[in-house]
Amino acid sequence: MGETILQMQGIQKYFSGVHALKGVDFELKAGEVHALMGENGAGKSTLIKVLCGIHKRDGGSVTLFGQDVNFHNIAESQAAGISVIHQELNMMNHLTVAQNMFIGREPKKGIMIDDSRMIREAKALFDRIGVKIDPTVKLGELTVGKQQMVEIAKAVSRDCKLLVLDEPTAALTQPEVEELFKIMNDLRDKGIGMIYISHRMDEINRISDRVTVMRDGEYVGTVNTADVTKDDIVKMMVGRVIMGDKKAASTVPADAPVVLEVKNLNAGKAVKNVSFQLHRGEILGFAGLMGAGRTEVARALYGADPRQTGEIYINGKPVNIKTPEQAVKNGICYLSEDRKRYGLMLGKSVSENSAIASLDKFIKNGWIDDKEIAKVAAETNGLLRTKTPSMEQLLKNLSGGNQQKVIIARWLMKDCDIFIFDEPTRGIDVGAKSEMYTLMEDLAAKGKSVIMISSELAEIQRLSDRVIVMCEGRITGELDIADATQEEIMKYATMRD
Amino acid sequence: MKNKKPFKIQQNIIMLLASVVLLGAFSLVNPNLIKDKYMILSMIQNFAPYAIMGLGVTFVIATGGIDLSLGTVTIASAVLAGKLYTEGTIPLWATIPVMLVIGTLCGLLNGLMVAKLKIPAFIATLGTMMVSRGLSALIAGVPNIFFPTGTWYNKTFSSLSVGDVSAIPVGMFWVLGLMLICMYLMYKNKIGRYILAIGSNEEATRLSGINTDNYKIFAYTFAGLFCGIAAIFYSAAFPTISCATGNGMELDAIAGVYIGGTSSAGGVASVSGSVIGAALLVVIRSGLNMVLAKLGINLNSAYVTYVLTGIIVVVAILLDIIKTNNQNKVKIEKVEEAAKAEAPKA
């Protein structure tokens, strides 16, 4: 490890209603891989965004290569040698690999873009970091893993000194992860400092030199990876015990009736012959790796996407669900993993967002009773402890966890029987997370049935009565919670053809 | 409500004041503008069809869509109904349902193309605009269509030339009545609520169990129906209709809607604003004409109107953007204060 290249001290950040960073410290040395860890919503991404100029900090100092800096946009931080590989890649799928790499700084020959030189340079770069990618193919044809390599190569070509990798392995296969780590080790030898964000403990142990842990927007501490165990880090991340233990046994009575049965569901390429049953009062966990087809099962079942085959029975009766409208009429509701795109009306009030699915209840003689809506919305959001100054507050001014609660309020007001939660705690803070757990348990206790899709094994183990594991579009395992150890779940989750 | 209502009203009051101030300023230059009651009537005659088209298309724009076929569909409805009437196929009263049906069918066609065939609204309605214009002229087969003058029809919907009764600007009352209906539909009926939801986030609305296609089809069909209504007022006020008119009318009507505060991105709509926007534009159109004539300026008032309208649309929307940004800042500060106040407790 070389000298310190980055020093962040006492970083403060406020966002509409949330104190997102409460005096965070962070340090990075040249040739170091420094893991940044914390639960969803701990403030890791916010810290990175402050670093690279997407967000303006409200307090604290940033020193880069010994100089105080305050970047106003990504262009400035890039010029200073910082590159960020985001979780969601922001690239142009219709352009070729080389075009993506040189976007905005294309080599020119007169007034023409020098394509052959661009391709040559791209090839040289790939050779340098040791990956085999054809620079002339369209970026969209590459796997996510390869696309990430392209991003890294792009960063290297920009002469980057500080590379941020935000959950780069989330969508990678094991061989791709190995390739990534090889590249990271090379870069480390070249003296590049890397900030590595990941949730995967075993990776942290393998790749990182030091770990900084954040919780609830606060700086918890920095430790040498070699000095600590996995459990130490988890303790730092979680602080108080919010996960709780694994559920010991199913709490669903053996004679609980089947409320939902899905038979031979096929939809697109992502869902292959899926059949399962859901009982009254049950929390059914759907585990699996990213891209296993769990979201696609939910969307096909909900009528959001078309399906090729598949019968759906509710309380033993066959139902025809081709649109979300029909699903809702049959008492099913779906809370998407991607709230912003599929759930929120950001420009509308808490009240309007809460009532959109149950509007019919509030119509008297053809007139919408807005007072009644505000009253019921306030009651329901009060039960969920949604933090908002008023029911008229626009949703875009609430934090992620509170936005999620408003969507849950939407379905509570509709009084659905079957709740499909898709990654219900993604992007919400730790406190809200445990509330979300209590809420799902309450729903089940009241005789509602819950399908919970989650990529966090601990979450699956903590809540589910039964676990269905998917891999590559198929159900590869079904486990009673008593047998659902992490190893067992992972075994089925990686059971490829 | 507390946060939103005063803002909307404020914007409307600014626009209303702007109309009155402009009217006053123009009248100072040429007093005939308000002294001559026929001038006022003529302004209202001019105003009614645009305001009605604007009311209808407000629903389309609220979904995040657009309808470029307003003007030509209005003229096509009038031309085709007038053709049937002048040939003696139908009596005068029957032109009313014919216009309404033609307008509605064109709107329905737009709605089906946009919602079911997923054709972008701009392109679908551009197609309808061209086809309706060409087809109606072909079917009419004559350059001009003549509606009667001085009948009950003119009195009911326009009333310029009939004695003293004409002093009552009937068009105004019709527009106000239609505005109230639209306000009810937009703000107090689930149709409007869903349409605004679609404009905010269509996919989220669909996943909330709402048949978004149907509400989009409704919005376009409703705009079509209002084109049919606009055709009634247009033909009563301007009994000689050239098949070649109608071009650019839609843009005037849409400009009025934007000036009135409806967001071009959808999700936010001001029904009364659409009427006020149309009024502002009509004041400019009629007023400039009179002022230029009085001052002896040898410029084509239509072109001057275009220049001024263009500037007003852009400035009105710019003001709106600035105001929304400021408002957000204030709101975020408020939320942050609340969060800070809560922090010590936690």
Side-chain angles (χ1 to χ4, degrees):
Chain A
M1 272 192 271
E3 80 265 42
T4 302
I5 55 174
L6 171 74
Q7 185 93 49
M8 299 176 86
Q9 265 173 340
I11 304 295
Q12 301 275 352
K13 178 71 200 169
Y14 289 95
F15 274 126
S16 38
V18 185
H19 192 172
L21 296 178
K22 305 166 186 168
V24 177
D25 299 338
F26 188 80
E27 186 200 65
L28 182 70
K29 290 179 175 161
E32 175 191 30
V33 176
H34 194 145
L36 183 57
M37 299 205 68
E39 300 267 324
N40 284 331
K44 298 166 306 215
S45 298
T46 311
L47 186 70
I48 296 307
K49 284 179 180 164
V50 166
L51 170 64
C52 65
I54 295 176
H55 293 327
K56 224 178 119 235
R57 63 176 185 262
D58 297 326
S61 66
V62 180
T63 315
L64 188 68
F65 305 117
Q67 285 189 316
D68 274 346
V69 290
N70 194 3
F71 301 123
H72 297 93
N73 52 51
I74 299 184
E76 284 182 21
S77 62
Q78 269 179 359
I82 299 178
S83 278
V84 182
I85 315 290
H86 285 286
Q87 215 167 338
E88 284 128 23
L89 301 167
N90 300 311
M91 297 205 280
M92 289 126 286
N93 285 335
H94 297 293
L95 300 185
T96 67
V97 169
Q99 282 166 346
N100 267 286
M101 286 175 67
F102 289 95
I103 193 98
R105 52 195 180 111
E106 291 84 356
K108 296 258 174 71
K109 196 191 267 173
I111 55 162
M112 308 281 277
I113 291 176
D114 190 347
D115 274 311
S116 55
R117 189 174 141 207
M118 199 157 82
I119 291 164
R120 232 174 22 244
E121 286 186 14
K123 268 195 185 124
L125 268 168
F126 287 136
D127 287 344
R128 233 170 88 196
I129 64 169
V131 290
K132 284 197 191 77
I133 295 172
D134 178 358
T136 61
V137 302
K138 293 244 172 6
L139 188 86
E141 291 166 19
L142 299 182
T143 62
V144 180
K146 288 275 189 262
Q147 291 184 14
Q148 251 165 14
M149 312 281 169
V150 174
E151 279 263 32
I152 294 174
K154 189 170 154 188
V156 171
S157 75
R158 273 212 209 89
D159 200 21
C160 112
K161 298 276 187 316
L162 195 168
L163 184 63
V164 183
L165 297 123
D166 191 353
E167 297 211 41
T169 57
L172 300 194
T173 60
Q174 200 51 42
E176 285 174 327
V177 173
E178 296 302 329
E179 202 176 347
L180 176 71
F181 282 3
K182 207 181 112 264
I183 294 172
M184 285 177 70
N185 280 324
D186 285 352
L187 294 177
R188 179 183 355 223
D189 294 341
K190 292 192 174 97
I192 292 176
M194 280 168 278
I195 302 175
Y196 186 75
I197 300 177
S198 174
H199 285 295
R200 300 193 181 170
M201 284 299 169
D202 41 343
E203 288 177 0
I204 299 296
N205 283 331
R206 274 191 54 193
I207 195 78
S208 76
D209 303 301
R210 285 192 293 171
V211 181
T212 289
V213 176
M214 292 176 65
R215 185 204 313 145
D216 268 339
E218 281 174 49
Y219 172 78
V220 178
T222 303
V223 292
N224 287 325
T225 316
D227 301 343
V228 291
T229 64
K230 223 155 110 174
D231 287 347
D232 294 334
I233 298 177
V234 172
K235 236 174 254 161
M236 285 171 78
M237 276 167 58
V238 179
R240 58 209 135 110
V241 183
I242 58 119
M243 271 301 187
D245 295 327
K246 173 173 173 289
K247 200 183 245 184
S250 170
T251 52
V252 182
D255 60 347
V258 173
V259 288
L260 171 75
E261 177 161 21
V262 174
K263 280 185 190 166
N264 300 322
L265 184 68
N266 279 287
K269 285 177 194 161
V271 181
K272 295 167 194 158
N273 244 341
V274 165
S275 306
F276 65 91
Q277 292 184 331
L278 175 70
H279 300 89
R280 192 182 140 86
E282 181 179 43
I283 299 180
L284 179 61
F286 266 70
L289 300 176
M290 239 174 96
R294 296 166 300 163
T295 295
E296 288 78 1
V297 168
R299 286 182 59 94
L301 157 65
Y302 189 62
D305 291 332
R307 56 174 190 271
Q308 277 84 52
T309 64
E311 297 140 52
I312 298 167
Y313 299 84
I314 288 180
N315 296 321
K317 284 189 207 104
V319 289
N320 181 22
I321 295 176
K322 283 201 179 117
T323 63
E325 188 189 13
Q326 289 162 340
V328 172
K329 273 193 188 128
N330 282 294
I332 305 176
C333 66
Y334 172 64
L335 291 92
S336 167
E337 53 173 342
D338 190 347
R339 289 191 289 278
K340 223 170 226 160
R341 257 173 86 191
Y342 298 125
L344 307 172
M345 295 184 285
L346 289 170
K348 297 273 158 206
S349 68
V350 173
S351 206
E352 282 169 288
N353 270 284
S354 303
I356 187 70
S358 53
L359 205 55
D360 283 330
K361 278 194 212 169
F362 299 100
I363 295 174
K364 288 188 185 118
N365 307 320
W367 291 73
I368 296 175
D369 187 346
D370 278 304
K371 272 190 193 147
E372 183 70 13
I373 289 181
K375 203 182 115 206
V376 177
E379 279 170 16
T380 316
N381 280 294
L383 282 177
L384 301 172
R385 296 203 276 150
T386 310
K387 271 186 213 144
T388 170
S390 78
M391 285 300 112
E392 298 314 318
Q393 185 59 257
L394 299 188
L395 207 62
K396 64 179 164 199
N397 295 334
L398 265 53
S399 70
N402 286 311
Q403 290 175 342
Q404 174 77 317
K405 287 183 187 174
V406 172
I407 299 185
I408 296 177
R410 177 185 297 168
W411 294 116
L412 289 180
M413 282 167 75
K414 179 71 190 170
D415 205 19
C416 289
D417 294 318
I418 297 166
F419 286 74
I420 308 174
F421 286 94
D422 195 349
E423 303 286 359
T425 60
R426 178 173 289 177
I428 69 178
D429 61 53
V430 183
K433 205 167 183 174
S434 70
E435 285 183 62
M436 208 61 67
Y437 295 158
T438 318
L439 195 99
M440 280 189 261
E441 286 171 332
D442 285 351
L443 285 174
K446 279 184 196 134
K448 311 275 187 196
S449 307
V450 176
I451 292 175
M452 183 191 62
I453 300 171
S454 175
S455 296
E456 289 183 47
L457 283 182
E459 199 164 279
I460 292 273
Q461 290 181 311
R462 156 87 164 73
L463 289 167
S464 313
D465 294 301
R466 197 154 49 94
V467 183
I468 283 179
V469 192
M470 286 187 69
C471 180
E472 293 181 342
R474 292 169 300 117
I475 291 183
T476 46
E478 187 180 329
L479 299 162
D480 193 87
I481 191 61
D483 311 321
T485 60
Q486 298 223 356
E487 293 72 26
E488 196 71 359
I489 294 175
M490 284 316 290
K491 190 182 92 191
Y492 289 113
T494 51
M495 199 181 265
R496 297 170 210 270
D497 279 329
Chain B
M1 260 347 112
K2 270 175 211 150
N3 292 329
K4 243 181 348 192
K5 275 266 169 75
F7 166 64
K8 222 182 244 170
I9 288 166
Q10 206 188 331
Q11 163 120 355
N12 283 350
I13 287 174
I14 291 172
M15 289 303 158
L16 201 57
L17 280 178
S19 316
V20 174
V21 167
L22 267 179
L23 191 63
F26 289 155
S27 311
L28 282 179
V29 180
N30 189 344
N32 277 347
L33 190 59
I34 48 170
K35 273 194 184 151
D36 186 345
K37 71 181 178 200
Y38 291 112
M39 239 359 266
I40 292 283
L41 277 168
S42 143
M43 269 197 267
I44 288 167
Q45 278 185 331
N46 229 303
F47 154 77
Y50 287 101
I52 292 166
M53 280 187 275
L55 281 172
V57 82
T58 300
F59 285 79
V60 171
I61 294 175
T63 66
I66 188 72
D67 186 350
L68 296 177
S69 67
L70 299 173
T72 55
V73 166
T74 299
I75 296 302
S77 309
V79 163
L80 294 177
K83 167 85 173 169
L84 290 175
Y85 166 70
T86 47
E87 280 181 342
T89 315
I90 55 170
L92 184 57
W93 67 265
T95 58
I96 295 172
V98 168
M99 285 188 242
L100 297 183
V101 166
I102 293 171
T104 307
L105 287 178
C106 291
L108 179 66
L109 179 70
N110 282 334
L112 291 173
M113 284 195 286
V114 172
K116 291 293 179 194
L117 304 180
K118 314 285 178 207
I119 299 173
F122 191 97
I123 296 167
T125 60
L126 181 70
T128 307
M129 165 182 160
M130 293 174 156
V131 170
S132 61
R133 165 140 193 237
L135 207 56
S136 61
L138 284 175
I139 294 172
V142 286
N144 292 305
I145 291 286
F146 301 98
F147 273 79
T149 50
T151 64
W152 62 268
Y153 184 77
N154 311 83
K155 276 188 228 173
T156 314
F157 301 113
S158 165
S159 79
L160 180 61
S161 54
V162 199
D164 270 341
V165 193
S166 65
I168 304 162
V170 279
M172 182 84 98
F173 298 119
W174 281 99
V175 170
L176 288 178
L178 290 168
M179 182 182 89
L180 289 177
I181 293 172
C182 288
M183 287 176 91
Y184 159 74
L185 284 174
M186 186 68 89
Y187 304 125
K188 283 291 163 189
N189 188 287
K190 72 173 175 183
I191 290 172
R193 199 60 60 98
Y194 288 160
I195 280 173
L196 290 169
I198 291 170
S200 300
N201 186 341
E202 182 171 346
E203 193 57 14
T205 308
R206 186 174 81 98
L207 291 177
S208 293
I210 290 146
N211 192 329
T212 47
D213 283 357
N214 285 356
Y215 288 94
K216 277 162 81 180
I217 293 170
F218 173 89
Y220 285 91
T221 310
F222 189 76
L225 169 68
F226 270 53
C227 287
I229 301 176
I232 300 171
F233 288 84
Y234 192 87
S235 57
F238 310 102
T240 303
I241 300 174
S242 156
C243 296
T245 53
N247 269 6
M249 274 171 81
E250 66 284 336
L251 297 182
D252 283 336
I254 291 166
V257 174
Y258 289 156
I259 290 173
T262 295
S263 160
S264 60
V268 177
S270 170
V271 171
S272 54
S274 296
V275 172
I276 293 169
L280 180 64
L281 291 183
V282 120
V283 167
I284 294 171
R285 214 167 16 230
S286 311
L288 271 182
N289 199 1
M290 303 278 291
V291 166
L292 291 176
K294 177 79 179 182
L295 293 178
I297 298 170
N298 190 18
L299 286 174
N300 185 325
S301 77
Y303 297 145
V304 181
T305 305
Y306 271 125
V307 172
L308 214 59
T309 311
I311 293 171
I312 289 176
V313 171
V314 174
V315 169
I317 283 156
L318 193 64
L319 284 179
D320 192 38
I321 290 170
I322 293 169
K323 220 187 301 169
T324 315
N325 282 347
N326 284 341
Q327 223 185 2
N328 275 345
K329 265 186 214 151
V330 173
K331 263 186 203 159
I332 288 170
E333 273 160 23
K334 267 189 200 160
V335 180
E336 275 169 12
E337 271 164 33
K340 278 179 198 164
E342 205 176 295
K345 279 182 247 163

